[in-house]
Amino acid sequence: MRRQQARPGTDAVLLARAAEEETRLNAALSIARLGTFDWNVRTNEVFLDERSHEMFGLPSGQPVTAFDIFGRIDPRDLERVSSEVQTAREQQASLETEYRVRRPDGTIRTLVSISNAVAGAEGELERMIGVFNDVTERRRVEALLRAERDRSQDILDSMGEGFVLVGPDFQVLDINGAALRIEDRPREEIVGKSFWEAWPGSAEAELGRLCKQAMAERLPGRLVHEYVWPDGHKAWLELRVYPSQDGLALFMRDVTQQKQAQEANAHLAALVVASGDAIMSFAPDGTILTWNPSAEQVFGYSAAEAIGRPVSILMPEDRAHEPASNFARVRQGEMVKFESVRRRKDGSLFDAALSLAPMRNPDGEFSKYGL
């Protein structure tokens, strides 16, 4: 800042006050790490304080013109900044803009300048005064935070499960791609809203009670329920809620297929129990795994007596080779139908028509034999 020069007859008290105010201003600018400038647009001279000289890499005490300032602006920003400054001059308007500066030592700094237009006695633009703020470190930290946030979001989006982060006030803070696919609606309809607004009707439902309990008692919870969307389609979801430092972490996954498989298995199990045919299953090594009531009647063994024992208890001695050869064919995906002789618990033999088929796990891999 330019210090006023005392003139004969100037009131000493006013000058002292002005000097004190200038000292306080410089202290504030120093704390804020701001530099000041005063651009005389008529002469093109620019007065810079020491901090501004340092920001632009200009020698201290050397006269500076606007050409020197604009000459330091990175070519990638120069055209835009020049246009903004020209508009501010023509309109005598204030201007706040950000740009990169290339200093003589090769370093690049990011500055924000804020300026006000000052008109002369005749109303024409005379000066532009303002401050420079070096935001290089701030922008670097912001870039690191953005990169970390993007990395975290990528991790969340790569999860096979849906994830929802809920704040302590039940505001939805974040949601990943898997959850959005389950919900089949855009992120803007969920993030930033209250949990109860994002999922209408949940406050008094079992889901709401689970979340409220987890938030209040800081205990995890789990829920499997059938969710009905506004358009009427349904799906079974497994929801797991965990208290976190930020509120609640809610994981969700669509278990409709598993639920349907369970129902199908239950139906199949009921058919097996009710069937008049002996039905059983074997582990890959031939150990009996399941045994229905008809098998008890046909072979004479109860389920407790048969399960866990080898299939050889059902075979006559001269048929001991059959399981190995038939099992090998079934492992290749073949259903084997054949007639043979089997042995009851009391040792009696009987003729049997048999069908041996492969049974697979949810991943489609062979897991056991079904007879």
Side-chain angles (χ1 to χ4, degrees), residues 164-206:
V164 180
L165 182 62
V166 181
D169 57 353
F170 284 98
Q171 182 184 35
V172 181
L173 303 177
D174 202 359
I175 186 169
N176 74 344
L180 290 175
R181 287 190 292 274
I182 291 173
E183 287 295 318
D184 193 25
R185 51 183 171 148
R187 178 184 179 87
E188 294 73 23
E189 290 187 9
I190 300 174
V191 175
K193 297 187 177 182
S194 76
F195 189 87
W196 320 121
E197 182 182 4
W199 284 276
S202 62
E204 303 305 323
E206 192 172 359

Side-chain angles (χ1 to χ4, degrees), residues 275-276 291-301 344:
S275 174
W291 189 261
N292 78 337
S294 292
E296 293 185 10
Q297 296 175 7
V298 171
F299 288 94
Y301 291 99
R344 298 186 181 93

Side-chain angles (χ1 to χ4, degrees), residues 84-112:
E84 292 172 346
V85 171
Q86 183 61 33
T87 300
R89 290 182 59 174
E90 292 172 355
Q91 299 178 358
Q92 295 192 22
S94 60
L95 173 64
E96 179 174 345
T97 187
E98 181 173 325
Y99 46 87
R100 288 158 289 190
V101 168
R102 289 182 176 270
R103 302 197 296 191
D105 61 4
T107 58
I108 298 178
R109 308 295 294 180
T110 301
L111 305 184
V112 171

Side-chain angles (χ1 to χ4, degrees), residues 216-292:
E217 300 179 7
R218 313 307 293 166
L219 294 173
R222 178 180 177 273
L223 170 67
V224 177
H225 77 130
E226 188 176 35
Y227 187 76
V228 182
W229 274 261
D231 63 4
H233 84 274
K234 302 177 181 180
W236 283 92
L237 300 181
E238 179 194 44
L239 302 168
R240 302 191 313 280
V241 182
Y242 299 93
S244 71
Q245 186 176 2
D246 298 314
L248 291 179
L250 190 150
F251 295 87
M252 64 172 71
R253 65 189 183 105
D254 189 329
V255 294
T256 303
Q257 290 185 344
Q258 292 92 320
K259 193 71 174 178
Q260 291 172 343
Q262 289 173 0
E263 293 175 352
N265 288 338
H267 179 66
L268 178 60
L271 292 177
V272 168
V273 170
S275 174
D277 295 328
I279 299 176
M280 63 202 74
S281 63
F282 309 98
D285 64 357
T287 300
I288 299 172
L289 298 176
T290 60
W291 189 261
N292 78 337

Side-chain angles (χ1 to χ4, degrees), residues 308-319:
R309 299 182 67 182
V311 67
S312 59
I313 66 171
L314 312 178
M315 311 294 297
E317 292 182 3
D318 62 346
R319 302 278 179 162

